[in-house]
Amino acid sequence: MSTRSRMLFARGAKAAALVVTGGLLFAAPATAIPLDLGSLNAGSVDLGSLDPVLAPTPNLASVANFRDVAGNDGRGYATVDGSHLKRGVIYRSNALTATTDADKTTLTGLGLADAYDLRGATEISNPFIGGADKLPDGVTYTNIFIEFKDLTQLATTIKSPEEAKQFLVDTNRSFVTDPVRRAGFKQVLSDIAASDGVQLFHCTSGKDRTGWTAMLLQSIAGVPAQTIMDDYLLSNTYLQATNEKILAQISQALSPQVATNLEPALGVDASYLEAGLAQVASDYGTVDGYLTEGLGLTADTIALLKAKLVG
């Protein structure tokens, strides 16, 4: 391979690798009620009352998929019993590897105390997309490995959009079936429950592993299934500009066909989350069963999480 070819491949691998990391999700409230996947459809998110308990969640220039688990405006997402989630308590995002000083100041102003990084070791060490989080002073960093496949290899092995979709369908199912990944989700939920102050969790793109974790938190709080799905799908909006740049890089460095093949892996789709939830229904019956039997969370931990989330 010529020097120019190696450079082009490296650029393409970097772009493609950015495509496929995160956490997949969607679920009903954490009760002993079987999941009704047939009732799901993409609709508008219920933000509840628009009384401004807090100002709208700020956009971070350097962290595209940064947002509040409780919703970004108003009183927070409504729950099935008429309560609302508390905003400004738990945030989600993509990796904070390029955080600007201005965005660090914003995070400091939000009172951020802890950041949980769900990336695996190969992602953090990846010379193209990896790197350490750049956090404000005083924020406690915890790395909880929920490893993905080698992303450079993935970029060269996916041969069609259908294969990219199937990869994320299988990934979401693995959040239920893989005991190592279940242990990672148990740890992040347990750490959030046990910690004081404002919390943040993230993976690379903030959509798959992060999305699954957000779904679990919202389910524990009693957020309706449709609101959870709508919130999950918001990653497509937050990541749109970033993904367009990535696709252009892949197209130039490798080929337009490779970009087409990988495009479904850059975003989220209802079918990805539904696949994980169907696996939950098959293996544990309900999200509550997954939390207690699959993850091994105690009733006290779940109660602490609900108390943090619901006002």
Side-chain angles (χ1 to χ4, degrees):
M1 182 182 291
S2 68
T3 299
R4 174 173 174 78
S5 295
R6 285 195 296 269
M7 291 175 63
L8 289 175
F9 178 81
R11 290 169 58 196
K14 174 182 178 181
L18 283 167
V19 162
V20 261
T21 51
L24 180 64
L25 95 85
F26 182 99
T31 64
I33 300 173
L35 295 169
D36 180 10
L37 298 177
S39 68
L40 304 180
N41 57 75
S44 60
V45 172
D46 175 10
L47 295 174
S49 169
L50 295 180
D51 295 339
V53 175
L54 293 175
T57 301
N59 292 322
L60 300 185
S62 58
V63 190
N65 205 7
F66 173 80
R67 45 199 172 102
D68 195 320
V69 168
N72 286 331
D73 328 280
R75 292 181 58 193
Y77 292 143
T79 65
V80 292
D81 64 2
S83 299
H84 289 267
L85 269 60
K86 292 184 284 191
R87 293 181 52 235
V89 176
I90 305 175
Y91 293 96
R92 54 176 291 179
S93 74
N94 52 306
L96 290 87
T97 55
T99 315
T100 62
D101 288 343
D103 286 343
K104 287 182 184 178
T105 299
T106 298
L107 290 171
T108 299
L110 294 175
L112 184 63
D114 295 276
Y116 305 99
D117 182 353
L118 307 184
R119 294 177 296 164
T122 59
E123 293 171 272
I124 295 172
S125 64
N126 187 300
F128 301 118
I129 64 169
D133 278 353
K134 296 180 180 178
L135 297 167
D137 292 341
V139 175
T140 300
Y141 170 85
T142 303
N143 185 208
I144 300 172
F145 291 170
I146 305 178
E147 188 75 74
F148 263 46
K149 288 183 178 179
D150 179 82
L151 300 179
T152 303
Q153 181 184 22
L154 187 64
T156 63
T157 56
I158 288 179
K159 302 302 183 184
S160 70
E162 291 72 26
E163 287 187 13
K165 291 178 181 178
Q166 189 62 48
F167 169 76
L168 285 180
V169 164
D170 293 341
T171 295
N172 279 265
R173 289 174 177 154
S174 78
F175 296 157
V176 184
T177 60
D178 186 331
V180 176
R181 287 179 172 177
R182 291 201 309 269
F185 291 118
K186 177 183 180 179
Q187 183 180 345
V188 67
L189 293 176
S190 298
D191 285 357
I192 290 172
S195 300
D196 296 323
V198 176
Q199 311 287 293
L200 178 148
F201 59 93
H202 75 82
C203 50
T204 295
S205 297
K207 67 183 182 69
D208 299 312
R209 289 160 290 185
T210 294
W212 187 258
T213 304
M215 174 273 291
L216 295 175
L217 288 168
Q218 291 164 346
S219 295
I220 288 168
V223 175
Q226 186 59 60
T227 304
I228 295 174
M229 177 61 88
D230 291 342
D231 183 77
Y232 168 74
L233 293 173
L234 283 176
S235 284
N236 288 332
T237 299
Y238 279 84
L239 294 172
Q240 181 177 356
T242 299
N243 288 346
E244 288 174 354
K245 293 178 182 178
I246 292 171
L247 288 169
Q249 291 171 349
I250 295 172
S251 182
Q252 181 179 11
L254 297 178
S255 73
Q257 184 60 54
V258 173
T260 297
N261 293 344
L262 293 175
E263 184 173 4
L266 276 76
V268 292
D269 187 85
S271 65
Y272 305 162
L273 184 56
E274 288 167 352
L277 292 174
Q279 194 68 51
V280 166
S282 175
D283 291 1
Y284 299 102
T286 64
V287 174
D288 185 60
Y290 171 76
L291 292 168
T292 57
E293 299 173 38
L295 302 189
L297 294 178
T298 66
D300 287 345
T301 296
I302 293 171
L304 283 170
L305 288 169
K306 186 167 185 178
K308 281 180 179 285
L309 289 160
V310 181

